[in-house]
Amino acid sequence: MLIIKLVYHGKIQHIKTNRFASPFHNEKGFTLLNLLYSFVIYALIISSLTMILTFLVTNSQYSKDLKPYEWELFIIQLHQEMKNSVNWTVNNNELLFENKQGQLISISKYNQLIRRQVYGMGHEILLMKIGTLNFEQQQEGIKMTVSSQAGKEYTHTFRSYKDLSR
């Protein structure tokens, strides 16, 4: 009853407010301040969304699989080294060749990694998280097949450009 009397005499006025949408909203229209406020909220949402998606994509990869850039870098490095080498041979899943200085280089699997050795000495790691490594001598070059610990298979064929020039 008290509320009805207060409303009847004008003591309580009902003011329309929409505080959820924007504190700068009034009945006169959409202001520049409201536009800037909305743009800041939109920019925060979009920037945080891209960070969250980047985090989810990078962490969703299987941890025992090779990352694509690791595989590409390994192939580029091995290609550079084999480009000026001679006498490519495969012996018990080990790639052997001679470099420009006449050193005998071997590429082989050691535990869960691929290593490079000079004259059977040293231990230069080329690629990690390896399950199996197979080299196969073919007419067009040497085919390398690598499977990661996750079971994904990667292949590449190294071709001898010196044989093509004859």
Side-chain angles (χ1 to χ4, degrees), residues 65-75 127-129:
D65 199 8
L66 302 176
K67 295 198 178 357
Y69 63 86
E70 290 175 333
W71 173 251
E72 290 296 324
L73 183 61
F74 167 67
I75 293 299
L127 191 62
M128 299 188 321
K129 299 179 186 174

Side-chain angles (χ1 to χ4, degrees), residues 73-90:
L73 183 61
F74 167 67
I75 293 299
I76 290 169
Q77 286 176 333
L78 201 51
H79 230 286
Q80 289 280 335
E81 188 158 14
M82 293 179 69
K83 190 168 146 183
N84 296 318
S85 63
V86 293
N87 300 332
W88 297 359
T89 57
V90 175

